[in-house]
Amino acid sequence: MNDFATPPAVSVIMPVLNEERHLREAVRHILEQDYEGELEVVIALGPSTDGTDAIAAELVRETADGARTRVQTVPNPTGRTPAGLNAAIAASSHPVVVRVDGHGMLSPGYVSTAVRLLAETGAQNVGGIMHAEGETSWEQAVAAAMTARIGVGNAAFHTGGEAGPADTVYLGVFRREALEQQGGYNEEFIRAQDWELNFRIRSAGGAVWFSPELKVSYRPRPNLRALAKQYKDYGRWRRVVARYHKGSINPRYLAPPAALAGIVAGVLVTPLTPLGLAIPLAYAVGIAAGSVPAGRGLPVRARLQIPVALATMHMSWGWGFLTSPRSLAQKVIASRRPAVTAG
């Protein structure tokens, strides 16, 4: 195992689709990393309908003569995240691989800290906090909801926590040998591909390590419709994971579908008894109360939108979970990749 006595060269891989708004800033946060080793950035271009490709081409030209850092692109015709990640991994070459999204902003010492943690812990993958930050009042409300326990439960990569072994982490900084050993991401997992890869890494005896020292600023979805789709997909694919890996469900995952089912049941029985309104009203009071501490320090307009963001996240996640077709899980299970241990 490479102990990184000298700063290793690092590949940063980034799958993008319609990231015109944030791509240049995300790449700038990579190029300005406080890191002594060599860096390369590989952007996997999905079939965007905005100016993403043009911005990527500009970044390639601007860094073509870079002595330490260069940007290159590879095609990702399907636009699917795991396919883009695998294409970028194949086009990259360095021993440490950093995953980042087109709307993710690495903190200045992210790469150097991650490399140090890989060496100190011996882990195959390290990751940290998904630090949601909004620019508009709606995005600020969503960011507050995404970093509050009432919004996401006790997930350490959302709310923080003690450093230590984890089932999965946000994005991730990998030893290339671990990615190559496991054959990269399973491309059938349109969502939850990080969890599935980390499951194989852990099953092969490798460690996945969470550290609050690592932070990536994340730009939330810009409107209610996009947020609802995001969380519906999260719930849909979490159900796939539950069917793929028995025993992986905990109360945090069951809370949104239970809340949705309770609210629907309460509304349906209300014509028979007014007690049916108890569950919807209790839920409304709960998210309203939980929004108060979550919104501390935000403008009034953002604070007023937090309950809407919370309800959208919960109900969409619950709907996706409850309606996730068994056939989707069966398709994914049929593509199951066994964990590969080092020979």
Side-chain angles (χ1 to χ4, degrees), residues 1-2 4 95-96 118-119 122-124 173-179:
M1 182 179 294
N2 190 339
F4 305 139
V96 173
L118 285 173
Q124 303 287 356
V173 178
F174 300 84
R175 297 176 185 269
R176 174 175 293 276
E177 62 203 40
L179 292 173

Side-chain angles (χ1 to χ4, degrees), residues 95-175:
V96 173
V97 179
V98 177
R99 178 190 169 176
V100 65
D101 291 334
H103 46 271
M105 315 296 160
L106 301 184
S107 53
Y110 185 88
V111 172
S112 58
T113 301
V115 169
R116 173 176 59 79
L117 289 170
L118 285 173
E120 289 178 355
T121 66
Q124 303 287 356
N125 181 22
V126 299
I129 295 174
M130 177 184 180
H131 182 66
E133 292 181 334
E135 296 175 330
T136 67
S137 60
W138 167 253
E139 291 174 356
Q140 289 171 344
V142 175
M146 292 180 71
T147 53
R149 289 188 180 275
I150 191 173
V152 294
N154 61 352
F157 66 82
H158 281 296
T159 61
E162 295 293 327
D167 289 344
T168 191
V169 291
Y170 180 54
L171 300 177
V173 178
F174 300 84
R175 297 176 185 269

Side-chain angles (χ1 to χ4, degrees), residues 16-17 44-48 74-80 83-84 87:
V16 299
L17 180 68
L45 295 173
S48 296
V74 293
N76 177 25
T78 68
R80 294 180 173 182

